[in-house]
Each structure stands twice: as structure tokens, then as C-alpha cells.
Amino acid sequence: MASRVFTHVLRLIERDAFPRTRKWAWRGLYDTLSRFWRDGDWRFMNYGYAPETPFALNPEDEPERVFIGLYHQAVDGLPIAGARVLEIGSGRGGGARYVARYFAPASVVGLDYSPATVARAERLNADTPGLTFRQGDAERLPFPDGSFDIVVNIESSHCYADVPAFAREAARVLAPGGWFTFADMRAKSMAADLDQKLAASGLEQVFAKNISAGVVRALDAAEARKRANMIKLPVARRFMTEFSGAQGSILYKELKKGGVVYLARRFRKAG
């Protein structure tokens, strides 16, 4: 049953059907997960990325390596030291925490649509100086023009009702010369449409890559940990197998054979 439901959801996303309803449903799902999945060490809600060349991490962060990897590929090489950073769709805050701890920004703000998730992120990451969280809508950002030097968006845009509006908002809150770094998955048939929607930002695209192979490597590396967590939720185990991209799930199979692609993009604002 869970596999059929998840397949149906993927098909709705592929057709871009019922965008407002999907946005409401995603918020409800993440609110529920934040209330009932209370693991103190679960700061990440992404599928991860394992590059072919490992990057440096502190020993205490090694258990989260594959999830941090998706953020590392997004920000590596960007001028973050002393910058004002915004993550749109920050979830439980692990990615924003990584940026705040490793790259010496002036500040990091994590924004998420789900109030329960924002509250959870604040509790999980209270130990990180310069990091704050705020509830808000990616399509109507609650910040003035030019508020940030770096905007990060990881595995969140598939929940949005209006991706062009989000792209325009990301550009609006960027200061001249600022960077917008993006990563998310789509059905292969939707990849060109996604790029067209992101182009609504008016920003210059400077980097584009299909990172699906590295995401599959990350899913494989995280398999044992996911299965261990699922034991705690026997009633929802079938659903969480699909939602988490565990081996054998629809998403895992589609990523592996290329029906779903995971795309990384970087843009820069003139200035």
C-alpha cells in the first residue's frame, strides 16, 4: 500500500498537479514527523551525497557524513567567511549548523515552512552561535531586499507550489554579487522544466551537475542507520521505507536507473 501511495505522489509531482494541495500536504507531513520522530541526533532530512573524494569532518560529525555531504557540495568554494547566509527549507537545521560551524559566516538564518520543524531545529541546534531559525514561506520570504550574500536551498523545492516565485524571491533577498546554490530531485522528464522555472530568478547560472550517482552512494551508506530507526516505528515502517529512499523503495530504484535525477545548480547575482 505504501509503495502505491508513494508512486502516486511521485506521478502527481511529475505532472505538477495540484501544487497548492501538495504544498499543504508536505507541510502537514513535516509537522507530523517533527512531533513524533524525536531522535536527538536526527538533524538532517535529506537523502545525502557521497562524493568520490572525501572531505574533512570533525570526528563528532562523522555519523552525519553523507547528509552533510549534500551541503558540502553545495557550498564548497563559495565566499562564505563573513557572509550573511540564508537557508530556505532548513528542516531540522543540520545543514545550517554545518555551514555555521565550518565556514565562519557572519550569520546563518534557517527558514522553514513548518512551525513544528522550526521549533525542533531551535532545540536541536541551540549550541551553535550565529545560527537562528524562522518560520516562513519560500515563495514570500520575510526579509528585505539584499539581506543575504549566500542563499542555500537543498532538497526542498519539490514541496513548493510556485517554483518561479521562489526563484524570484531568492534573487530578491540576495545582495549584488551574491550566490544562490540549489540541489533537488525531479523526474528526468521534468529536469528542463525545473531549469526554466529557476531561470525566473534572472540570475546567471554558473554551475550545473547531475549528482544522482553520489546520492545513490549516500543512500547505500545510510541504509543500516535508517533500518535501525525504522524498527522504532513499526506501524509506519512501510511508509518510512519509501519516504527515506531506503534500498528497494520506488525512489531508490528510480534514482539508480535514471528515471529520477538529482540536480545541483549555482547562480550568481550581477553586481
Coordinates of all heavy atoms in Angstrom, one line a residue, residues 56-151:
A56 N 37.0 16.8 4.7 CA 37.3 16.8 6.1 C 36.1 17.1 7.0 O 35.3 17.9 6.7 CB 38.4 17.8 6.4
L57 N 36.0 16.3 8.1 CA 35.0 16.5 9.1 C 35.6 16.2 10.4 O 36.5 15.4 10.6 CB 33.8 15.5 8.8 CG 32.7 15.9 7.9 CD1 31.6 14.8 7.9 CD2 32.1 17.2 8.3
N58 N 35.0 16.9 11.4 CA 35.4 16.6 12.8 C 34.9 15.2 13.2 O 33.8 14.8 12.7 CB 34.8 17.7 13.7 CG 35.4 19.1 13.5 OD1 36.5 19.2 13.0 ND2 34.6 20.1 13.8
P59 N 35.5 14.5 14.1 CA 35.1 13.2 14.4 C 33.7 13.1 14.9 O 32.9 12.1 14.6 CB 36.1 12.8 15.6 CG 37.3 13.6 15.3 CD 36.8 14.9 14.7
E60 N 33.2 14.1 15.7 CA 31.8 14.0 16.2 C 30.8 14.2 15.1 O 29.6 13.8 15.3 CB 31.6 15.1 17.2 CG 31.7 16.5 16.7 CD 33.1 17.2 16.8 OE1 34.1 16.4 16.8 OE2 33.2 18.4 16.8
D61 N 31.2 14.6 13.9 CA 30.2 14.8 12.8 C 30.2 13.6 11.8 O 29.4 13.6 10.9 CB 30.5 16.1 12.0 CG 30.3 17.3 12.9 OD1 29.3 17.3 13.7 OD2 31.1 18.3 12.8
E62 N 31.1 12.7 12.0 CA 31.2 11.5 11.1 C 29.9 10.7 10.9 O 29.6 10.3 9.8 CB 32.3 10.6 11.5 CG 33.7 11.1 11.2 CD 34.0 11.2 9.6 OE1 33.3 10.4 8.9 OE2 34.8 11.9 9.2
P63 N 29.1 10.5 12.0 CA 27.9 9.8 11.7 C 26.9 10.5 10.7 O 26.1 9.8 10.2 CB 27.2 9.8 13.1 CG 28.4 9.9 14.1 CD 29.4 10.8 13.4
E64 N 27.1 11.8 10.5 CA 26.2 12.5 9.6 C 26.9 12.8 8.3 O 26.4 13.6 7.5 CB 25.8 13.8 10.2 CG 25.3 13.8 11.6 CD 23.9 13.1 11.7 OE1 23.3 12.8 10.7 OE2 23.5 12.8 12.8
R65 N 28.0 12.1 8.0 CA 28.8 12.5 6.8 C 28.0 12.6 5.5 O 28.2 13.5 4.8 CB 30.0 11.5 6.7 CG 30.8 11.6 5.3 CD 32.0 10.8 5.3 NE 33.1 11.4 6.1 CZ 33.9 12.4 5.7 NH1 33.7 12.9 4.5 NH2 34.8 12.8 6.5
V66 N 27.2 11.5 5.2 CA 26.6 11.5 3.9 C 25.5 12.6 3.8 O 25.3 13.2 2.7 CB 25.9 10.1 3.6 CG1 27.0 9.1 3.5 CG2 24.9 9.7 4.6
F67 N 24.9 13.0 4.9 CA 23.9 14.1 4.9 C 24.6 15.4 4.8 O 24.1 16.3 4.1 CB 23.0 14.0 6.1 CG 22.4 12.6 6.3 CD1 22.8 11.8 7.4 CD2 21.6 12.1 5.4 CE1 22.3 10.6 7.6 CE2 21.0 10.8 5.6 CZ 21.4 10.0 6.7
I68 N 25.7 15.6 5.5 CA 26.5 16.8 5.4 C 27.0 16.9 4.0 O 27.1 18.1 3.5 CB 27.6 16.8 6.4 CG1 27.0 17.0 7.8 CG2 28.6 17.9 6.2 CD1 28.1 16.8 9.0
G69 N 27.3 15.8 3.3 CA 27.9 15.8 2.0 C 27.0 16.6 1.0 O 27.6 17.3 0.1
L70 N 25.7 16.6 1.2 CA 24.9 17.3 0.2 C 25.1 18.8 0.4 O 25.0 19.6 -0.6 CB 23.4 17.0 0.5 CG 22.4 17.2 -0.6 CD1 22.9 16.7 -2.0 CD2 21.1 16.6 -0.3
Y71 N 25.3 19.3 1.6 CA 25.6 20.7 1.9 C 27.0 21.0 1.5 O 27.3 22.1 1.0 CB 25.4 21.0 3.4 CG 23.9 21.1 3.7 CD1 23.2 20.0 4.0 CD2 23.3 22.3 3.6 CE1 21.8 20.1 4.3 CE2 21.9 22.4 3.9 CZ 21.2 21.3 4.2 OH 19.8 21.4 4.4
H72 N 28.0 20.1 1.7 CA 29.4 20.4 1.3 C 29.5 20.7 -0.2 O 30.1 21.6 -0.6 CB 30.3 19.3 1.8 CG 31.7 19.5 1.4 ND1 32.5 20.3 2.2 CD2 32.4 19.1 0.4 CE1 33.7 20.3 1.6 NE2 33.7 19.6 0.5
Q73 N 28.8 19.8 -1.0 CA 28.9 20.0 -2.4 C 28.2 21.3 -2.8 O 28.6 22.0 -3.8 CB 28.3 18.9 -3.2 CG 26.8 18.6 -3.1 CD 26.0 19.5 -4.0 OE1 26.5 19.9 -5.0 NE2 24.8 19.9 -3.5
A74 N 27.2 21.8 -2.0 CA 26.5 23.0 -2.4 C 27.3 24.3 -2.1 O 27.1 25.3 -2.8 CB 25.2 23.0 -1.6
V75 N 28.1 24.2 -1.0 CA 28.8 25.5 -0.6 C 30.3 25.5 -0.8 O 30.9 26.5 -0.6 CB 28.4 25.8 0.9 CG1 26.9 25.9 1.1 CG2 29.0 24.8 1.8
D76 N 30.8 24.3 -1.1 CA 32.3 24.3 -1.2 C 32.8 25.3 -2.3 O 32.3 25.3 -3.4 CB 32.7 22.8 -1.7 CG 34.2 22.6 -1.7 OD1 34.9 23.2 -0.8 OD2 34.7 21.9 -2.5
G77 N 33.7 26.1 -1.9 CA 34.3 27.1 -2.8 C 33.6 28.4 -2.8 O 34.2 29.4 -3.4
L78 N 32.5 28.5 -2.1 CA 31.8 29.8 -2.1 C 32.4 30.7 -1.0 O 32.9 30.3 0.0 CB 30.3 29.6 -1.8 CG 29.5 28.9 -2.9 CD1 28.0 28.9 -2.5 CD2 29.6 29.6 -4.2
P79 N 32.3 32.1 -1.2 CA 32.9 33.0 -0.3 C 32.1 33.2 1.0 O 31.4 34.2 1.2 CB 33.1 34.3 -1.1 CG 31.9 34.2 -2.0 CD 31.7 32.8 -2.4
I80 N 32.0 32.2 1.9 CA 31.1 32.2 3.0 C 31.7 33.0 4.2 O 30.9 33.5 5.0 CB 30.7 30.8 3.4 CG1 30.0 30.1 2.2 CG2 29.8 30.8 4.6 CD1 29.6 28.7 2.5
A81 N 33.0 33.0 4.4 CA 33.6 33.6 5.5 C 33.1 35.1 5.6 O 33.3 35.9 4.7 CB 35.1 33.6 5.5
G82 N 32.5 35.4 6.7 CA 32.0 36.8 6.9 C 30.7 37.1 6.2 O 30.2 38.2 6.3
A83 N 30.1 36.1 5.5 CA 28.9 36.3 4.8 C 27.6 36.2 5.6 O 27.6 35.5 6.6 CB 28.9 35.4 3.5
R84 N 26.6 36.7 5.1 CA 25.2 36.5 5.7 C 24.5 35.4 4.8 O 24.4 35.6 3.6 CB 24.4 37.8 5.6 CG 25.0 39.0 6.3 CD 24.4 40.3 5.8 NE 24.6 40.5 4.4 CZ 24.0 41.5 3.7 NH1 23.1 42.3 4.2 NH2 24.3 41.6 2.4
V85 N 24.2 34.3 5.5 CA 23.7 33.1 4.8 C 22.3 32.9 5.2 O 21.9 32.9 6.4 CB 24.6 31.9 5.2 CG1 24.1 30.6 4.4 CG2 26.1 32.2 4.8
L86 N 21.5 32.5 4.2 CA 20.1 32.1 4.4 C 20.0 30.7 3.8 O 20.3 30.5 2.6 CB 19.1 33.0 3.7 CG 17.7 32.6 3.6 CD1 17.0 32.5 5.0 CD2 16.9 33.5 2.6
E87 N 19.4 29.8 4.6 CA 19.0 28.5 4.0 C 17.4 28.5 4.0 O 16.8 28.7 5.0 CB 19.4 27.3 4.8 CG 19.0 26.0 4.1 CD 19.3 24.7 4.9 OE1 19.8 24.7 6.0 OE2 19.0 23.7 4.3
I88 N 16.9 28.3 2.8 CA 15.5 28.2 2.6 C 15.1 26.7 2.6 O 15.6 26.0 1.8 CB 15.0 28.9 1.3 CG1 15.5 30.3 1.2 CG2 13.5 28.7 1.1 CD1 15.3 31.0 -0.2
G89 N 14.2 26.4 3.5 CA 13.9 24.9 3.7 C 14.9 24.2 4.5 O 15.4 23.2 4.2
S90 N 15.1 24.8 5.7 CA 16.2 24.3 6.6 C 15.9 23.1 7.4 O 16.8 22.5 8.0 CB 16.6 25.5 7.5 OG 15.5 26.0 8.2
G91 N 14.6 22.6 7.4 CA 14.3 21.4 8.1 C 14.8 21.4 9.6 O 14.5 22.4 10.3
R92 N 15.4 20.4 10.0 CA 15.8 20.3 11.4 C 17.1 21.0 11.7 O 17.6 21.0 12.8 CB 15.9 18.8 11.8 CG 14.6 18.1 12.0 CD 14.7 16.7 12.5 NE 13.4 16.3 13.0 CZ 13.2 15.5 14.1 NH1 14.3 15.1 14.8 NH2 12.0 15.1 14.4
G93 N 17.7 21.7 10.7 CA 18.8 22.6 10.9 C 20.2 22.1 10.8 O 21.1 22.8 11.0
G94 N 20.3 20.8 10.5 CA 21.7 20.2 10.4 C 22.6 20.9 9.4 O 23.8 21.1 9.6
G95 N 22.0 21.2 8.2 CA 22.8 21.8 7.2 C 23.2 23.2 7.5 O 24.4 23.6 7.3
A96 N 22.3 24.0 8.1 CA 22.6 25.4 8.5 C 23.7 25.3 9.6 O 24.6 26.2 9.7 CB 21.3 26.1 9.0
R97 N 23.5 24.4 10.5 CA 24.5 24.2 11.6 C 25.9 23.9 11.0 O 26.9 24.4 11.5 CB 24.0 23.1 12.5 CG 24.9 22.8 13.7 CD 24.3 21.7 14.6 NE 25.0 21.5 15.8 CZ 25.9 20.5 16.0 NH1 26.1 19.6 15.0 NH2 26.5 20.3 17.1
Y98 N 26.0 23.0 10.0 CA 27.2 22.7 9.4 C 27.9 23.9 8.8 O 29.1 24.2 9.0 CB 27.0 21.6 8.3 CG 28.2 21.4 7.4 CD1 29.4 20.9 7.9 CD2 28.1 21.8 6.1 CE1 30.5 20.7 7.0 CE2 29.2 21.6 5.2 CZ 30.4 21.1 5.7 OH 31.5 20.9 4.9
V99 N 27.1 24.7 8.1 CA 27.7 25.9 7.5 C 28.1 26.9 8.6 O 29.2 27.5 8.5 CB 26.6 26.6 6.6 CG1 27.1 28.0 6.1 CG2 26.3 25.7 5.4
A100 N 27.4 27.1 9.6 CA 27.7 28.0 10.7 C 29.0 27.6 11.4 O 29.8 28.4 11.8 CB 26.6 28.1 11.7
R101 N 29.2 26.3 11.6 CA 30.3 25.8 12.4 C 31.6 25.6 11.6 O 32.7 25.7 12.1 CB 30.0 24.4 13.0 CG 28.9 24.5 14.0 CD 28.4 23.1 14.5 NE 29.5 22.3 15.1 CZ 29.8 21.1 14.7 NH1 29.2 20.5 13.7 NH2 30.8 20.4 15.2
Y102 N 31.5 25.4 10.2 CA 32.7 25.1 9.5 C 33.2 26.2 8.6 O 34.3 26.2 8.1 CB 32.4 23.9 8.6 CG 32.6 22.6 9.3 CD1 31.6 22.1 10.1 CD2 33.7 21.8 9.1 CE1 31.7 20.8 10.7 CE2 33.8 20.5 9.7 CZ 32.8 20.1 10.6 OH 32.9 18.9 11.2
F103 N 32.4 27.2 8.3 CA 32.8 28.2 7.2 C 32.9 29.7 7.7 O 33.1 30.6 6.9 CB 31.8 28.1 6.1 CG 31.9 26.8 5.3 CD1 31.1 25.7 5.7 CD2 32.8 26.6 4.3 CE1 31.1 24.5 5.0 CE2 32.9 25.4 3.6 CZ 32.0 24.3 4.0
A104 N 32.7 29.9 9.0 CA 32.9 31.2 9.6 C 32.0 32.3 9.0 O 32.5 33.4 8.7 CB 34.3 31.6 9.6
P105 N 30.7 32.1 8.7 CA 29.9 33.2 8.2 C 29.6 34.2 9.3 O 29.8 33.9 10.5 CB 28.6 32.5 7.8 CG 28.5 31.3 8.8 CD 30.0 30.9 9.0
A106 N 29.2 35.4 8.9 CA 28.8 36.4 9.9 C 27.5 35.9 10.6 O 27.4 36.1 11.8 CB 28.5 37.7 9.2
S107 N 26.6 35.3 9.9 CA 25.3 34.8 10.5 C 24.7 33.7 9.5 O 25.0 33.7 8.3 CB 24.3 35.9 10.7 OG 24.0 36.5 9.5
V108 N 23.9 32.9 10.1 CA 23.1 31.9 9.3 C 21.7 31.9 9.8 O 21.5 31.8 11.0 CB 23.7 30.5 9.4 CG1 22.9 29.5 8.5 CG2 25.2 30.4 8.9
V109 N 20.8 32.1 8.9 CA 19.3 32.0 9.2 C 18.8 30.8 8.4 O 18.9 30.7 7.2 CB 18.6 33.3 8.8 CG1 17.1 33.1 9.1 CG2 19.2 34.5 9.5
G110 N 18.1 29.9 9.2 CA 17.4 28.8 8.6 C 15.9 29.1 8.6 O 15.3 29.4 9.6
L111 N 15.3 29.1 7.4 CA 13.8 29.3 7.2 C 13.1 28.1 6.8 O 13.6 27.4 5.9 CB 13.6 30.5 6.2 CG 12.1 30.8 6.0 CD1 11.9 32.3 6.0 CD2 11.7 30.3 4.6
D112 N 12.0 27.8 7.5 CA 11.2 26.6 7.1 C 9.7 26.9 7.2 O 9.3 27.7 8.0 CB 11.6 25.4 8.0 CG 11.2 24.1 7.3 OD1 10.0 23.6 7.5 OD2 12.0 23.5 6.6
Y113 N 8.9 26.2 6.3 CA 7.5 26.5 6.3 C 6.7 25.8 7.4 O 5.7 26.3 7.8 CB 7.0 25.9 4.9 CG 5.6 26.3 4.5 CD1 5.2 27.6 4.6 CD2 4.7 25.3 4.1 CE1 3.9 27.9 4.2 CE2 3.4 25.6 3.7 CZ 3.0 27.0 3.7 OH 1.7 27.3 3.4
S114 N 7.3 24.8 8.0 CA 6.7 24.1 9.1 C 7.0 24.6 10.5 O 8.2 24.6 10.9 CB 7.1 22.6 9.0 OG 6.8 21.9 10.3
P115 N 6.0 25.2 11.2 CA 6.3 25.7 12.6 C 6.9 24.6 13.5 O 7.8 24.9 14.3 CB 5.0 26.2 13.0 CG 4.2 26.4 11.8 CD 4.6 25.4 10.8
A116 N 6.4 23.4 13.5 CA 6.9 22.4 14.3 C 8.3 22.0 14.0 O 9.1 21.8 14.9 CB 6.0 21.1 14.2
T117 N 8.7 22.1 12.8 CA 10.1 21.8 12.4 C 11.0 22.9 12.8 O 12.1 22.6 13.3 CB 10.1 21.6 10.8 OG1 9.3 20.5 10.5 CG2 11.6 21.2 10.4
V118 N 10.6 24.1 12.7 CA 11.4 25.3 13.2 C 11.6 25.1 14.7 O 12.8 25.3 15.2 CB 10.7 26.6 12.8 CG1 11.4 27.8 13.6 CG2 10.7 26.8 11.3
A119 N 10.6 24.8 15.4 CA 10.8 24.6 16.9 C 11.7 23.5 17.2 O 12.6 23.6 18.1 CB 9.4 24.4 17.5
R120 N 11.7 22.4 16.4 CA 12.6 21.3 16.6 C 14.0 21.7 16.3 O 15.0 21.4 17.0 CB 12.1 20.1 15.8 CG 13.0 18.9 15.9 CD 13.0 18.2 17.2 NE 11.6 17.8 17.5 CZ 11.2 17.4 18.7 NH1 12.1 17.2 19.7 NH2 10.0 17.0 19.0
A121 N 14.2 22.5 15.2 CA 15.5 22.9 14.8 C 16.1 23.8 15.9 O 17.3 23.7 16.2 CB 15.4 23.7 13.5
E122 N 15.3 24.7 16.5 CA 15.8 25.6 17.5 C 16.3 24.8 18.7 O 17.4 25.1 19.3 CB 14.8 26.6 17.9 CG 14.4 27.6 16.9 CD 13.3 28.5 17.2 OE1 12.4 28.0 18.0 OE2 13.2 29.6 16.7
R123 N 15.6 23.7 19.1 CA 16.1 22.9 20.2 C 17.3 22.1 19.9 O 18.2 22.0 20.7 CB 14.9 22.0 20.7 CG 13.8 22.8 21.4 CD 12.8 21.8 22.0 NE 12.0 21.1 21.1 CZ 10.8 21.6 20.6 NH1 10.4 22.8 21.0 NH2 10.1 20.8 19.7
L124 N 17.3 21.5 18.7 CA 18.5 20.7 18.3 C 19.8 21.4 18.1 O 20.9 20.8 18.3 CB 18.1 19.9 17.0 CG 17.1 18.8 17.1 CD1 16.8 18.2 15.7 CD2 17.6 17.6 18.0
N125 N 19.7 22.7 17.8 CA 20.9 23.4 17.4 C 21.2 24.7 18.2 O 21.9 25.6 17.8 CB 20.8 23.9 15.9 CG 20.5 22.6 15.0 OD1 21.4 21.8 14.7 ND2 19.3 22.5 14.5
A126 N 20.7 24.6 19.4 CA 20.8 25.8 20.3 C 22.3 26.0 20.7 O 22.6 27.1 21.2 CB 20.0 25.6 21.6
D127 N 23.1 25.0 20.5 CA 24.5 25.1 20.9 C 25.4 25.9 19.8 O 26.6 26.0 20.0 CB 25.1 23.8 21.1 CG 25.1 22.9 19.8 OD1 24.4 23.2 18.9 OD2 25.9 21.9 19.8
T128 N 24.8 26.3 18.7 CA 25.6 26.9 17.6 C 25.5 28.4 17.6 O 24.4 28.9 17.2 CB 25.1 26.3 16.3 OG1 25.2 24.9 16.4 CG2 26.0 26.8 15.2
P129 N 26.5 29.2 17.9 CA 26.5 30.6 17.8 C 26.2 31.1 16.4 O 26.7 30.5 15.4 CB 27.9 31.0 18.3 CG 28.4 29.9 19.1 CD 27.8 28.7 18.4
G130 N 25.5 32.2 16.3 CA 25.3 32.8 15.0 C 24.3 32.2 14.1 O 24.1 32.6 13.0
L131 N 23.6 31.2 14.7 CA 22.6 30.4 13.9 C 21.2 30.7 14.5 O 21.0 30.4 15.7 CB 22.9 28.9 13.9 CG 21.9 28.0 13.3 CD1 21.6 28.3 11.8 CD2 22.3 26.5 13.5
T132 N 20.2 31.1 13.7 CA 18.9 31.3 14.1 C 17.9 30.7 13.1 O 18.3 30.4 12.0 CB 18.5 32.8 14.2 OG1 18.8 33.5 13.0 CG2 19.4 33.5 15.3
F133 N 16.7 30.5 13.5 CA 15.7 29.9 12.7 C 14.4 30.7 12.7 O 14.1 31.4 13.7 CB 15.4 28.5 13.2 CG 16.5 27.5 13.0 CD1 17.4 27.3 14.1 CD2 16.8 26.9 11.8 CE1 18.5 26.5 13.9 CE2 17.8 26.0 11.7 CZ 18.7 25.8 12.7
R134 N 13.7 30.6 11.6 CA 12.5 31.4 11.4 C 11.5 30.7 10.6 O 11.9 30.0 9.6 CB 12.8 32.8 10.8 CG 11.7 33.7 10.6 CD 12.1 35.1 10.3 NE 11.0 36.0 10.1 CZ 11.2 37.3 9.8 NH1 12.4 37.9 9.8 NH2 10.1 38.1 9.6
Q135 N 10.2 30.8 10.9 CA 9.2 30.2 10.1 C 8.8 31.2 9.0 O 8.7 32.4 9.2 CB 7.9 29.9 11.0 CG 6.9 29.0 10.3 CD 5.9 29.8 9.4 OE1 5.6 31.0 9.6 NE2 5.4 29.1 8.4
G136 N 8.6 30.6 7.8 CA 8.2 31.5 6.6 C 8.0 30.7 5.4 O 8.4 29.5 5.3
D137 N 7.6 31.4 4.4 CA 7.2 30.7 3.1 C 8.3 31.1 2.1 O 8.6 32.2 1.8 CB 5.9 31.3 2.6 CG 5.3 30.6 1.4 OD1 6.0 30.0 0.7 OD2 4.0 30.7 1.3
A138 N 8.8 30.0 1.4 CA 9.8 30.2 0.4 C 9.4 31.1 -0.8 O 10.2 31.7 -1.5 CB 10.3 28.8 -0.1
E139 N 8.1 31.1 -1.0 CA 7.5 31.9 -2.1 C 7.2 33.4 -1.8 O 6.9 34.2 -2.6 CB 6.3 31.2 -2.6 CG 6.6 29.8 -3.2 CD 5.3 29.0 -3.3 OE1 4.2 29.5 -3.5 OE2 5.4 27.7 -3.1
R140 N 7.4 33.7 -0.5 CA 7.2 35.0 0.0 C 8.1 35.3 1.2 O 7.7 35.3 2.4 CB 5.7 35.3 0.4 CG 4.7 35.3 -0.7 CD 3.3 35.6 -0.3 NE 2.8 34.6 0.7 CZ 2.2 33.5 0.3 NH1 2.0 33.2 -1.0 NH2 1.7 32.7 1.2
L141 N 9.4 35.4 0.9 CA 10.4 35.5 2.0 C 10.2 36.7 2.9 O 10.0 37.8 2.4 CB 11.8 35.4 1.4 CG 12.2 34.2 0.6 CD1 13.5 34.3 0.0 CD2 12.2 33.0 1.6
P142 N 10.3 36.5 4.2 CA 10.0 37.6 5.1 C 11.3 38.5 5.4 O 11.6 38.7 6.6 CB 9.5 36.9 6.4 CG 10.3 35.6 6.4 CD 10.4 35.2 4.9
F143 N 12.0 38.8 4.3 CA 13.3 39.5 4.5 C 13.3 40.7 3.5 O 12.8 40.6 2.4 CB 14.5 38.6 4.3 CG 14.5 37.4 5.1 CD1 14.2 36.1 4.6 CD2 14.7 37.5 6.5 CE1 14.2 35.0 5.4 CE2 14.7 36.3 7.3 CZ 14.4 35.1 6.7
P144 N 14.0 41.8 3.8 CA 14.2 42.9 2.9 C 15.1 42.5 1.7 O 15.8 41.5 1.8 CB 14.8 44.0 3.7 CG 14.6 43.6 5.2 CD 14.6 42.1 5.2
D145 N 15.0 43.3 0.7 CA 15.9 43.1 -0.5 C 17.3 43.2 -0.1 O 17.7 44.0 0.8 CB 15.6 44.3 -1.5 CG 14.2 44.3 -2.1 OD1 13.4 43.4 -1.8 OD2 13.9 45.2 -2.9
G146 N 18.1 42.3 -0.7 CA 19.6 42.4 -0.5 C 20.0 42.0 0.9 O 21.1 42.5 1.4
S147 N 19.3 41.2 1.6 CA 19.6 40.9 3.0 C 20.7 39.8 3.2 O 21.3 39.7 4.3 CB 18.3 40.3 3.7 OG 17.3 41.2 3.7
F148 N 21.0 39.1 2.1 CA 21.9 38.0 2.3 C 23.0 37.9 1.2 O 22.7 38.4 0.1 CB 21.2 36.6 2.3 CG 20.2 36.5 3.5 CD1 18.9 36.9 3.3 CD2 20.6 36.2 4.7 CE1 18.0 36.8 4.4 CE2 19.8 36.1 5.8 CZ 18.4 36.4 5.6
D149 N 24.1 37.3 1.5 CA 25.2 37.2 0.5 C 25.2 35.8 -0.1 O 25.6 35.6 -1.3 CB 26.5 37.4 1.1 CG 26.6 38.7 1.9 OD1 26.4 39.7 1.2 OD2 26.8 38.7 3.1
I150 N 24.6 34.8 0.6 CA 24.5 33.4 0.1 C 23.1 32.9 0.4 O 22.7 33.0 1.6 CB 25.6 32.5 0.8 CG1 27.0 33.0 0.8 CG2 25.5 31.1 0.2 CD1 27.7 32.9 -0.5
V151 N 22.5 32.3 -0.5 CA 21.2 31.6 -0.3 C 21.3 30.2 -0.7 O 21.8 29.8 -1.8 CB 20.0 32.3 -1.1 CG1 18.8 31.4 -1.0 CG2 19.8 33.7 -0.6

